[in-house]
Amino acid sequence: QVQLVESGGGLVQAGGSLRLSCVASGSSFTINAMRWYRQGPGKQRELVAVISSGGTADYADSVKGRFTISRDNAKNSMYLQMNSLKPEDTAVYFCNAAISTILTSRNYWGQGTQVTVSS
């Protein structure tokens, strides 16, 4: 069984920074693309950033130039460096990964980590 666990959320003032982490655990799996999603209060879940297994990244327009996605394949980990945070970045941030095992290939989700940006 593969699990994703996020960490690093918290409360920060506008203009501040946070770094989110996502770690995959389990046995005998391969991680393909990894993504960060977020869901703000009363909003639909939205894609924030994506990174391929080779490190190619893309971002939602709302976070371009402020957020940086990265991954460490040796540690089965992904990160989201968030700078110049705005109140509208307040949301629960979810890690998502396309993972293959000997039995299946599917997307896995973490439990989410709360990010709150105060004005």
Side-chain angles (χ1 to χ4, degrees):
Q1 182 73 2
V2 178
Q3 288 188 321
L4 298 179
V5 178
E6 303 101 331
S7 61
L11 174 64
V12 64
Q13 288 188 332
S17 298
L18 282 174
R19 186 178 189 240
L20 305 183
S21 299
C22 170
V23 179
S25 63
S27 61
S28 302
F29 61 89
T30 300
I31 305 175
N32 302 303
M34 302 185 79
R35 297 171 177 86
W36 286 102
Y37 284 82
R38 68 185 181 186
Q39 187 165 15
K43 298 181 180 179
Q44 290 188 331
R45 192 171 297 190
E46 63 173 349
L47 178 63
V48 175
V50 56
I51 187 166
S52 70
S53 56
T56 301
D58 202 3
Y59 302 89
D61 288 343
S62 59
V63 306
K64 278 182 180 176
R66 300 188 298 122
F67 290 10
T68 302
I69 189 172
S70 61
R71 63 191 287 172
D72 184 336
N73 292 331
K75 296 182 179 179
N76 294 323
S77 297
M78 173 179 65
Y79 310 97
L80 187 68
Q81 178 66 43
M82 305 185 294
N83 298 329
S84 302
L85 282 161
K86 304 176 181 180
E88 51 263 45
D89 294 318
T90 294
V92 179
Y93 284 71
F94 297 90
C95 169
N96 173 277
I99 293 177
S100 300
T101 68
I102 194 170
L103 295 175
T104 186
S105 294
R106 69 176 184 91
N107 281 309
Y108 288 80
W109 290 89
Q111 82 288 352
T113 185
Q114 176 70 48
V115 171
T116 302
V117 184
S118 63
S119 56

